[in-house]
């Protein structure tokens, strides 16, 4: 089984699940996001966002391939590039951290340790860029796949709550801890990334 991780670019954005290619929950502020959905342009807005971040900051995601088939992806960026993060009651993300936006391991590829490989790759990338941590907004009342990561799953893979909230706590993971992860976190990571099944429907906070 051959595994390959590639930076997310406009050339391989088509390898993301269709619902994720047309979801701009994080990439636009609430008003602009609703307008894009109403106008039928969310996929174009998504590609424009990826292009802008690539030009200004660099790689903002990884796509994992198994035997050259897309198996999953993870998306991340500094909060300045994630307009929706400002709408959360527990913002802002710390200045020394990058926001883990979303991720997904496709059915049929879960349980193979891909989540750990992806997050460790992201950690190495961000450490080289001088960042110390990944932060994420969690959904403490998560019941079904949505755009916000389930808080319980984030805690299960080592995130710590830095700003509590009954609905959307902000959590933090020190990057260096991810480099020493063992196989016992693989199942938790698969659950985390497998749960983030985004739909192109914007929901209120």
């Amino acid at each position: 089984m051959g595994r390959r991780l590639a930076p997310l670019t406009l050339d391989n954005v088509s390898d993301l699940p269709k619902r994720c290619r047309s979801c701009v929950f994080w990439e636009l502020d609430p008003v602009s996001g609703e307008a894009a959905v109403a106008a039928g342009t969310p996929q174009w807005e998504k590609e424009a966002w990826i292009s802008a971040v690539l030009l200004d900051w660099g790689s903002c995601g990884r796509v994992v391939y198994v035997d050259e088939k897309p198996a999953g992806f993870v998306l991340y960026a500094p909060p300045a590039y994630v307009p929706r993060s400002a709408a959360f009651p527990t913002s802002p993300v710390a200045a020394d951290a990058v926001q883990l936006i979303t991720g997904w391991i496709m059915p049929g590829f879960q349980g193979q340790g891909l989540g750990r490989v992806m997050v460790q790759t992201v950690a190495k990338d961000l450490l080289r860029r001088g960042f110390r941590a990944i932060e994420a907004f969690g959904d403490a009342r998560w019941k079904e796949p949505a755009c916000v990561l389930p808080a319980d799953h984030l805690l299960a893979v080592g995130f710590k709550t830095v700003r509590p909230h009954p609905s959307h706590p902000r959590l933090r993971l020190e990057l260096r801890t991810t480099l020493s992860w063992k196989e016992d976190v693989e199942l938790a990571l698969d659950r985390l990334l497998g749960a983030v099944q985004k739909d192109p429907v914007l929901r209120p906070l």
Side-chain angles (χ1 to χ4, degrees), residues 129-144:
R129 299 199 212 184
F131 293 95
R132 296 178 53 189
I134 296 176
E135 292 193 359
F137 296 101
D139 184 351
R141 300 173 179 175
W142 188 90
K143 294 181 179 179
E144 59 185 3

Side-chain angles (χ1 to χ4, degrees), residues 86-101:
F88 280 74
T90 49
S91 65
V93 169
D96 64 347
V98 165
Q99 184 179 341
L100 175 61
I101 300 174

Side-chain angles (χ1 to χ4, degrees), residues 8 48 55-56 87 92 94 100 127 133 135 140 154 178-179 183 185 203:
L8 176 64
L55 288 171
D56 193 30
L100 175 61
L127 281 169
E135 292 193 359
L154 287 165
T178 67
L179 303 182
E183 292 184 1
V185 299
R203 67 177 191 177

Side-chain angles (χ1 to χ4, degrees), residues 74-90:
V74 62
L75 197 63
Y76 54 96
Y81 298 95
V82 191
R84 173 69 69 152
S85 68
F88 280 74
T90 49

